[in-house]
């Protein structure tokens, strides 16, 4: 899936940029286009902009990843202590009634559950610096249960969808920008945001559960057929 | 709403110090060698950061190309008739498309929209609600799956985008109803 999305995003970008450049070149009169060639083509053409964007974003990606290392180390260290002390297990036991249904593939008291709950709580409080390391810790634990490395499990996808539609109780960044632009009531978006995010979570979880149900059913009927033949 | 905000703000400030204190304190009581175990766990931090790099480069480069190519305007024109049906002002459509792709990109679009149309206009409300209610799905997929070297993401992106769409549409409907 990602193979196609990724490839087509790149192909379409180049085709659209090229098309726009050709169109602009043809519609501008020849006198103008000579002036344009004097200018920096990197800034005046879409293909030039793409060239800049590719190089710049590759650097940004590395900076982002490196920037994660500090908080990542901090939280992995704290989580290790919590695991040894048995705190993660206690958290997992408390939330078991909910997680049992959401993540049927995870054994009870597994550390993945503790890490996931902490990640979701951090997201709710808007603590993104803590949320990402905790989420990655959860993914690592989920991967220990993964029979086919390199391929996402159902539980991973359920967790990811909950994560991307994360409910934040106070959308701090949006409020801060509203305040800086002189809003009469910057906090007015709190309730609408919570409603919208809840809806996203409900739709996301329902979607993955339907897909998982259909795929498991198909898998089961296939194994029955194979079993019959053998 | 004021009280709710106050409570949540205090919770956010208290959360990390309390967690650190609780984890280490509880570990100490349970006779865990806290410093040793902390360092042991923290060692992994570097590996995770480095592991993510290829996935993040692939994802961010593709998104940057998409943004620079002007494909956004083409996509906006295609989706416009559909979003008009639910009463989404066409001005916020770039915000809706940008949100799952790029955090900094959608932050820029939101700020620009509020500058042009007013913070407390309907467009201002919708764009900031959109920003506050959804995450950048593509970034999360790249980082979370990258950290464990998962490249077969199966239905993660479609499901994530469907959830985003539900959130974005709800943002429009709620804002129209409230403001």
């Amino acid at each position: 899936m990602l193979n196609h999305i990724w490839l087509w995003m790149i192909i379409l970008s180049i085709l659209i940029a090229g098309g726009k450049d050709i169109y602009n070149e043809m519609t501008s009169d020849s006198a103008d286009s000579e002036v344009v060639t004097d200018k920096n083509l990197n800034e005046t053409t879409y293909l030039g902009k793409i060239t800049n964007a590719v190089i710049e974003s590759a650097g940004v990606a590395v900076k982002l990843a490196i920037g994660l290392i500090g908080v990542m180390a901090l939280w992995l260290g704290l989580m290790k202590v919590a695991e040894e002390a048995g705190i993660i297990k206690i958290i997992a036991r408390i939330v078991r009634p909910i997680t049992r249904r959401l993540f049927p593939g995870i054994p009870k008291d597994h550390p993945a559950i503790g890490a996931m709950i902490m990640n979701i709580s951090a997201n709710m409080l808007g603590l993104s610096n803590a949320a990402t390391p905790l989420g990655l810790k959860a993914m690592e634990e989920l991967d220990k249960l993964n029979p086919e490395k390199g391929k996402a499990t159902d539980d991973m996808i359920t967790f990811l969808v909950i994560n991307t539609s994360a409910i934040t109780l106070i959308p701090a960044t949006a409020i801060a920008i509203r305040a800086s632009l002189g809003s009469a009531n910057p906090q007015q978006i709190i309730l609408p945001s919570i409603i919208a995010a809840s809806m996203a979570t409900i739709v996301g979880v329902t979607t993955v559960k339907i897909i998982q149900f259909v795929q498991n059913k198909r898998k089961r009927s296939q194994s029955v057929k194979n079993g019959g033949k053998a | 709403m004021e009280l709710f905000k106050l409570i949540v703000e205090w919770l956010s400030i208290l959360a990390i110090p309390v967690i650190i204190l609780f984890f280490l304190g509880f570990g100490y009581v349970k006779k865990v060698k806290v410093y040793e175990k902390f360092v042991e766990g923290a060692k992994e931090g570097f590996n995770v950061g480095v592991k993510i790099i290829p996935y993040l480069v692939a994802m961010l480069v593709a998104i940057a190309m998409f943004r620079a190519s002007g494909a956004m305007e083409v996509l906006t024109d295609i989706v416009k008739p559909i979003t008009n049906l639910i009463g989404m002002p066409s001005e916020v459509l770039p915000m809706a498309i940008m949100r799952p792709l790029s955090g900094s990109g959608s932050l820029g679009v939101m700020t620009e929209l509020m500058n042009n149309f007013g913070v407390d206009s309907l467009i201002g409300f919708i764009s900031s609600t959109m920003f506050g209610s959804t995450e950048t799905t593509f970034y999360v997929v790249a980082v979370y799956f990258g950290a464990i070297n998962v490249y077969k993401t199966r239905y993660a992106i479609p499901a994530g985008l469907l959830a985003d769409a539900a959130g974005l549409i709800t943002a429009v409907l709620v804002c129209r109803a409230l403001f």
Side-chain angles (χ1 to χ4, degrees):
Chain A
M1 180 58 87
L2 196 48
N3 271 322
H4 294 281
I5 296 174
W6 189 70
L7 177 71
W8 280 104
M9 232 162 122
I10 291 175
I11 291 179
L12 284 178
S13 304
I14 294 173
L15 290 181
I16 290 173
K20 283 193 164 188
D21 283 341
I22 292 169
Y23 178 79
N24 287 345
E25 193 68 21
M26 301 230 295
T27 47
S28 63
D29 14 349
S30 54
D32 269 355
S33 61
E34 263 171 51
V35 179
V36 169
T37 47
D38 284 347
K39 286 186 195 162
N40 191 351
L41 279 176
N42 268 338
E43 276 149 31
T44 53
T45 62
Y46 283 100
L47 285 174
K49 281 181 197 161
I50 282 195
T51 307
N52 289 341
V54 165
I55 291 158
E56 201 192 307
S57 58
V60 169
V62 175
K63 257 184 229 154
L64 277 175
I66 298 290
L68 260 180
I69 291 176
V71 277
M72 196 72 225
L74 171 70
W75 281 101
L76 287 178
L78 285 172
M79 289 296 280
K80 184 83 192 171
V81 175
E83 236 179 283
E84 295 283 328
I87 298 171
I88 306 295
K89 261 190 189 158
I90 295 170
I91 297 175
R93 213 166 296 156
I94 294 170
V95 296
R96 199 166 130 66
I98 313 161
T99 53
R100 196 179 44 193
R101 291 209 180 81
L102 274 178
F103 306 101
I106 306 175
K108 71 172 194 179
D109 293 355
H110 194 273
I113 294 172
M116 285 194 294
I117 295 304
M118 291 191 60
N119 162 269
I120 293 167
S121 317
N123 264 331
M124 281 188 147
L125 293 175
L127 305 168
S128 48
N129 275 337
T132 308
L134 290 167
L136 297 186
K137 171 79 183 162
M139 290 303 275
E140 208 174 87
E141 293 294 342
L142 287 174
D143 200 40
K144 287 181 187 160
L145 300 166
N146 189 355
E148 201 177 329
K149 300 282 182 246
K151 188 175 169 186
T153 63
D154 284 344
D155 289 329
M156 285 177 187
I157 298 177
T158 309
F159 173 55
L160 211 86
V161 166
I162 294 175
N163 201 291
T164 58
S165 57
I167 299 168
T168 308
L169 297 176
I170 303 286
T173 313
I175 292 175
I177 290 186
R178 289 176 58 77
S180 74
L181 293 176
S183 166
N185 188 355
Q187 294 145 29
Q188 226 163 359
I189 59 158
I190 292 178
L191 189 64
S193 293
I194 293 176
I195 296 173
S198 310
M199 196 50 133
T201 309
I202 292 169
V203 169
V205 171
T206 311
T207 308
V208 295
K209 285 296 148 192
I210 291 173
I211 296 174
Q212 286 164 13
F213 180 74
V214 171
Q215 289 191 341
N216 285 341
K217 213 176 171 187
R218 202 181 297 155
K219 218 181 283 169
R220 225 171 293 143
S221 68
Q222 254 170 7
S223 65
V224 167
K225 259 184 222 160
N226 292 342
K229 270 176 202 166
Chain B
M1 195 45 67
E2 278 300 315
L3 183 70
F4 171 76
K5 186 171 179 271
L6 198 70
I7 293 170
V8 177
E9 273 178 353
W10 269 105
L11 272 178
S12 325
I13 294 166
L14 284 173
I16 290 187
V18 168
I19 289 173
I20 292 178
L21 190 68
F22 177 68
F23 278 15
L24 297 182
F26 199 89
Y28 182 73
V29 171
K30 287 265 172 166
K31 299 209 164 52
V32 174
K33 289 186 177 126
V34 281
Y35 181 73
E36 265 177 54
K37 287 294 166 189
F38 178 88
V39 176
E40 195 186 312
K43 260 181 210 159
E44 272 305 296
F46 184 77
N47 292 339
V48 175
V50 174
K51 242 194 237 169
I52 298 169
I53 290 177
Y55 297 88
L56 211 49
V57 168
M59 195 62 94
L60 293 194
V61 165
I63 291 170
M65 287 176 78
F66 186 79
R67 288 177 56 193
S69 69
M72 194 69 102
E73 293 116 63
V74 178
L75 197 57
T76 307
D77 286 338
I78 296 171
V79 192
K80 207 179 275 176
I82 305 164
T83 49
N84 280 344
L85 289 178
I86 59 153
M88 183 192 285
S90 55
E91 292 87 351
V92 296
L93 195 48
M95 179 65 196
I97 297 172
M98 187 66 95
R99 190 66 195 114
L101 291 173
S102 161
S104 57
S106 52
L107 188 69
V109 175
M110 172 183 78
T111 312
E112 202 182 294
L113 284 175
M114 291 202 288
N115 260 329
N116 292 343
F117 297 96
V119 196
D120 294 328
S121 65
L122 181 63
I123 291 171
F125 277 126
I126 295 178
S127 58
S128 45
T129 302
M130 282 176 168
F131 190 85
S133 62
T134 47
E135 263 285 341
T136 35
T137 300
F138 280 89
Y139 172 81
V140 174
V141 167
V143 171
Y144 278 45
F145 280 138
I148 50 171
N149 284 327
V150 162
Y151 39 88
K152 283 182 187 154
T153 58
R154 296 171 68 207
Y155 53 92
I157 293 222
L161 289 180
L162 199 66
D164 285 342
L168 295 168
I169 291 169
T170 310
V172 175
L173 299 179
V174 173
C175 286
R176 285 193 76 100
L178 285 180
F179 306 122

